[in-house]
Amino acid sequence: MTRIARIMLLLALLLPSAPAVQAQQIELQETPSLAAEVAAGRLPPIDRRVPEKPLVVSLKSGQEPGRQGGELRTLIGRARDVRLLSVINYTRLVVYNEDFEFVPDLAASFEVEDERIFTFHLRPGHKWSDGHPFTSEDFRYFWEDIALNKELSPAGPPADLRVNGELPEVSFPDQYTVRYAWSQRNPYFLPRIAGTAPLYLYRPAHYMKRFHIKYADREALDREVAAAKRRNWAALHNKLDNMFELDNPDLPTLDPWIIKTRPPAIRFVAQRNPYFHRVDQNGFQLPYIERVILTQADAKLIPAKAGAGEADLQFRNISFNNFTFLKENEKRAGNKTLLWRTAKGAHFALFPNLNCNDPTWRDLMRNTRFRQALSLAIDRQGINESLFFGLAIESNNTVLPGSPLFKPEYQTTNAIYDPAAANRLLDEIGLTKRDSNGIRLLPDGRPLEIIVETAGEDTEQTDILELIGENWVKIGVKLFAKPSQRDVVRNRIFSGEAIMSVWTGLENGLAKASTIPSELAPTSQYGLQWPKWGQWRETNGQSGEPVDMPVGQELLDLLDGWLEARSEEERARIWHRMLAIHAEQTLTIGVVSGTFQPIVVNKKLVNIPKEGVFNWDPGAFIGIYRPETFWLRQ
């Protein structure tokens, strides 16, 4: 049986689980830019570069089969942002499709048994970007030689591989099969594998072994360590195997584009991967675009540069307040500016710190009526019209109308502008005394001046806070915005020094019953309304503080109930209870959601959707829309 015949036979088995494809006959076509390399014998022909079971990507209605070649330019605000390519490449063992369902990608298929046993079947003939086979050995190497190696992983395997402290039993039945099994259910596993910053379960073993003391020649390894000026072999190994950061051009990859530029640099070049595993329905290997160029620029200048035509695709470092400028310059720059709806539970939300150190403020922040009063005193309609042309959704921090869990009351409870009700609530809790400026006084006599900590990375946050401040002063509350660097702000929140902060809301505002509601319970210190409770949960009581409010404990109990639930109906019921608690208790104060993200696109760039959902995780910004199928019309 010929190679092409095998592909046609196996497609019938592969395609039902692949996204948006139908069983069909294809004949693989050689990539023009690689033809000379193939003719010279320096590169195998196409049918020996793609797997026996390539992932066939069918274009959707309105999309056009592409022409291979061309160069795509984008701008980054700092050199480290080259990892943006890891995001939009969106190549994972399992990925989300556009309906946020799990589908195979690097894996040809996978099975899940009771959310405890996960079996992945790899694609025979799949190769790393240097042509070496991608097999279960790459998974074994990561598990046995990295995750379980005390020098490389002093804390042991990643926390994502632990279920209540239990590590999985990992097995490798053959060179194309990998299995992870727990005695307890692990619904976190697939979301972490498919995540935007994923859990990588594999490494290119053939490359990394030369830096591992178990496999390398000791003298040669010592020379490598010395040349790299690293402390020891483990430090060198950990430096070289970071697959997400893209800071080692020598590290083989499975992504559509291979980074070729070694840092430090201000211009990074990524070249097509000749062994990439996806093809279109006409047999052309993806990606269509030959090279991606990422050029560093001052983040504040990126909107102007994008508007001047210096990028073919730009969504980082531009925001909605740049939209008018970008539209006005479309004709001159040869661009078009798309608007994609964002998917976070809130584009802007305030986080009262229930764990702040100051006892007076802590008591106040834990008072439900106080939080409700602050929310009721915000004129969301005015903010929407002033900053978002009325196009945003005035809402709590909750799921969006596109979620099957959405209910209008989750969006509006305690979120309708009512300063009179806000004043009554503040009076009811005893905040009746005011200073000569009309600002209410705390029980200890201090003025009720709330310092809201912000990373200050976006003038939009400052603008919204200024408008909220104008609202709050009408109920006797003074607001001060305190911008600092992101890490400084987070450390102040985590330590309890901050009393209130601002950030975006729920990561996934389009959640389903099957989505883990961990953000709705104190499970992480990145829950800015309860960082110390989150620390306690994350560290099994080694740091942070135990939950000491009934609402926090109820949410944890509900989450544990969701993890044990056996039906979608039960999981949906738990989601609704958790969403209702958040709306009723105003644990965070959402302001607007469903805002639009401008995306600047060269008018010659084909196949990027006119409308889409712009989100970090799930979504990988534009990753779920398969940038490898974009191409530039000449």
Side-chain angles (χ1 to χ4, degrees), residues 118 174 269 433 575:
F118 301 80
D174 58 53
V269 178
K433 295 180 180 180
W575 256 102

Side-chain angles (χ1 to χ4, degrees), residues 48 82 84 252 270 302 315 320 333 336 442 555 561 588 626:
R48 289 196 284 120
V82 70
L84 173 68
I302 286 179
F315 53 85
F320 187 76
K336 56 185 177 181
L442 294 170
L555 289 167
T588 61
R626 297 195 173 279

Side-chain angles (χ1 to χ4, degrees), residues 516-528:
I516 304 169
S518 53
E519 281 188 278
L520 297 177
T523 58
S524 166
Q525 69 175 356
Y526 287 95
L528 305 184

Side-chain angles (χ1 to χ4, degrees), residues 40-74:
R42 291 188 291 269
L43 198 65
I46 180 67
D47 69 335
R48 289 196 284 120
R49 294 202 310 272
V50 301
E52 293 178 16
K53 297 180 180 181
L55 176 57
V56 182
V57 180
S58 279
L59 300 177
K60 295 176 298 190
S61 175
Q63 292 187 316
E64 303 176 37
R67 182 180 298 113
Q68 292 167 313
E71 182 176 284
L72 183 79
R73 301 166 301 153
T74 192

Side-chain angles (χ1 to χ4, degrees), residues 196-211:
T196 299
L199 171 64
Y200 289 106
L201 298 172
Y202 47 83
R203 294 293 190 277
H206 66 285
Y207 170 79
M208 293 308 306
K209 284 179 180 178
R210 62 182 276 201
F211 307 106

Side-chain angles (χ1 to χ4, degrees), residues 171-466:
S171 57
F172 315 96
D174 58 53
Q175 64 176 329
Y176 299 120
T177 307
V178 186
R179 182 172 293 120
Y180 299 81
W182 288 267
S183 65
Q184 307 168 73
R185 301 167 78 194
N186 186 3
Y188 293 94
F189 192 47
L190 288 184
R192 284 295 294 114
I193 292 172
T196 299
L199 171 64
Y200 289 106
L201 298 172
Y202 47 83
R203 294 293 190 277
H206 66 285
Y207 170 79
M208 293 308 306
K209 284 179 180 178
R210 62 182 276 201
F211 307 106
H212 198 296
I213 198 168
K214 179 179 175 181
Y215 302 98
D217 176 84
R218 184 57 185 264
E219 292 184 1
L221 183 56
D222 287 343
R223 289 195 295 270
E224 295 270 15
V225 171
K229 299 180 181 179
R230 292 286 153 178
R231 186 173 64 257
N232 52 36
W233 76 270
L236 176 63
H237 189 288
N238 285 338
K239 169 63 178 174
L240 296 177
D241 88 327
N242 195 324
M243 298 182 67
F244 187 74
E245 292 292 329
L246 297 182
D247 55 0
N248 177 15
D250 297 328
L251 183 69
T253 184
L254 302 167
D255 289 347
W257 292 281
I258 312 164
I259 198 73
K260 292 293 185 180
T261 307
R262 195 176 304 279
I266 59 172
R267 183 176 184 270
F268 295 86
V269 178
Q271 191 78 24
R272 75 160 57 250
N273 176 1
Y275 295 93
F276 193 53
H277 67 291
R278 301 178 194 164
V279 300
D280 73 7
Q281 70 259 39
N282 296 319
F284 287 97
Q285 187 181 23
L286 300 170
Y288 289 136
I289 289 173
E290 190 74 19
R291 298 200 307 169
V292 177
I293 311 297
L294 301 98
T295 304
Q296 183 181 352
D298 186 324
K300 295 178 181 178
L301 298 178
I302 286 179
K305 286 178 172 290
E310 294 185 30
D312 301 307
L313 177 62
Q314 192 67 41
F315 53 85
R316 290 291 283 168
N317 301 108
I318 57 176
S319 57
F320 187 76
N321 57 15
N322 303 128
F323 178 67
T324 302
F325 165 78
L326 294 170
K327 288 295 290 184
E328 290 172 348
N329 285 273
E330 283 183 339
K331 186 174 181 179
R332 180 173 62 88
N335 290 334
K336 56 185 177 181
T337 307
L338 308 177
L339 285 178
W340 285 13
R341 183 77 78 173
T342 57
K344 292 186 184 296
H347 176 68
F348 180 100
L350 294 164
F351 292 81
N353 191 346
L354 306 181
N355 301 145
C356 62
N357 297 332
D358 186 303
T360 301
W361 278 114
R362 183 170 62 245
D363 289 346
L364 200 54
M365 293 298 172
R366 292 187 176 200
N367 190 308
T368 303
R369 287 179 292 176
F370 179 70
R371 300 191 302 271
Q372 292 171 342
L374 295 182
S375 181
L376 289 166
I378 296 174
D379 181 4
R380 291 170 175 81
Q381 182 179 356
I383 292 171
N384 188 9
E385 292 175 353
S386 296
L387 300 178
F388 302 102
F389 304 115
L391 298 175
I393 300 171
E394 298 145 24
S395 172
N396 280 320
N397 176 21
T398 189
V399 292
L400 300 175
S403 166
L405 300 166
F406 174 78
K407 289 184 179 181
E409 56 265 36
Y410 300 155
Q411 190 177 79
T412 58
T413 299
N414 299 312
I416 303 299
Y417 184 47
D418 191 344
N423 269 310
R424 284 197 303 271
L425 288 170
L426 295 178
D427 289 342
E428 287 173 9
I429 61 178
L431 298 174
T432 55
K433 295 180 180 180
R434 300 180 182 238
D435 64 14
S436 58
N437 296 314
I439 300 302
R440 294 175 186 267
L441 299 179
L442 294 170
D444 60 10
R446 288 179 291 170
L448 209 168
E449 298 174 341
I450 299 178
I451 298 174
V452 180
E453 315 237 2
T454 169
E457 297 170 355
D458 190 341
T459 57
E460 186 178 83
Q461 287 188 358
T462 307
D463 294 341
I464 295 175
L465 286 173
E466 183 176 345

